[in-house]
Amino acid sequence: TLLTYFGEETKPCGNCDLCLSPVELEDGTTAARKILSAVHRTGQRYGALHIIDILLGTVTAKVATAGHDSLPTFGAGADRGKDEWRSLIRQLVAAGFLILDVRNYGGLAITGPGLTLLGGETSFSYRKDAVLKAVPRKAKGPGASASDLTATENELFNRLRELRLALSRERQVPAYV
C-alpha cells in the first residue's frame, strides 16, 4: 500500500511475512458489488458509515432524510456485521476500487477499476479479519505476588513492606512514593 501510494510497484520478495505465509483470501465480489452499488446509488457523496447504515438497513435521520431507505441496496447487507462492512470498504479503498474523495468531505467515490467490478467484469478477494480471543490474566491483588514465595522470602518481603511504611510515614508521603 505504501509503495503504491508513491507510485512504485513491488513483486513478491520471498523474505517478508506476507511472502512466507500469505494470508487466506476469500471471494468478496458479491459484497463488493453491494458496496459499490450503494455508493453509486447515493451519488458518491457519502462516507463509509452512511453506506454501512444503508447496507444494514438501519434507518437513521440522515438515511431517511436523503430517501436512501427506499434504495434497492437498503438492507441488502444485513447478513454481515458493521465491522465486516467497514473492513470490506477499507480493503476496497486499499485495492483501488474506491477512493475517499477529500474534496467532497470524505465521501466515497468509485474509480475506473471499481466500475469494472460493479459491471461484473472482474472479481474481488479480501482478507477476512482475524478475531483474537482474549487471554485470561492472573488476578492481581494484595498478596498475589507473595503467593509464589518461599517462607523465608515471604518473611523478607513483609519486613520490606514494614520498612517502606515506616519510611513513608517519616517523610509524610504515601507508601507507594
Side-chain angles (χ1 to χ4, degrees):
T1 302
L2 289 174
L3 290 174
T4 304
Y5 177 81
F6 290 108
E8 297 181 35
E9 293 296 322
T10 183
K11 294 184 177 24
C13 66
N15 296 316
C16 70
D17 59 341
L18 287 177
C19 291
L20 295 175
S21 56
V23 296
E24 288 185 41
L25 297 177
E26 293 195 18
D27 182 39
T29 306
T30 303
R33 287 186 183 141
K34 288 178 184 179
I35 293 168
L36 294 170
S37 179
V39 169
H40 179 70
R41 291 173 189 275
T42 58
Q44 302 185 57
R45 297 188 327 239
Y46 295 90
L49 295 178
H50 185 75
I51 299 300
I52 292 168
D53 284 340
I54 292 169
L55 291 168
L56 292 175
T58 307
V59 181
T60 64
K62 190 174 182 181
V63 169
T65 302
H68 294 156
D69 51 346
S70 62
L71 293 175
T73 52
F74 184 78
D79 57 329
R80 297 177 188 261
K82 193 174 218 171
D83 290 336
E84 193 171 355
W85 284 116
R86 189 177 292 127
S87 175
L88 282 162
I89 290 172
R90 276 196 314 264
Q91 292 183 56
L92 283 168
V93 170
F97 294 108
L98 285 172
I99 58 167
L100 291 172
D101 191 357
V102 292
R103 290 174 295 177
N104 286 329
Y105 308 104
L108 294 169
I110 303 173
T111 64
L115 290 173
T116 61
L117 176 58
L118 183 59
E121 300 167 37
T122 187
S123 62
F124 172 71
S125 296
Y126 74 103
R127 178 182 180 171
K128 201 164 187 178
D129 286 345
V131 178
L132 300 175
K133 293 184 179 180
V135 177
R137 295 183 183 192
K138 269 189 168 180
K140 291 184 180 179
S145 60
S147 64
D148 297 331
L149 302 177
T150 65
T152 306
E153 291 170 333
N154 198 24
E155 182 183 333
L156 180 59
F157 179 72
N158 286 328
R159 287 179 46 206
L160 285 170
R161 285 179 53 191
E162 289 171 10
L163 177 61
R164 180 181 73 166
L165 182 61
L167 289 172
S168 68
R169 285 183 179 158
E170 177 184 311
R171 295 179 183 162
Q172 298 180 347
V173 294
Y176 64 86
V177 173

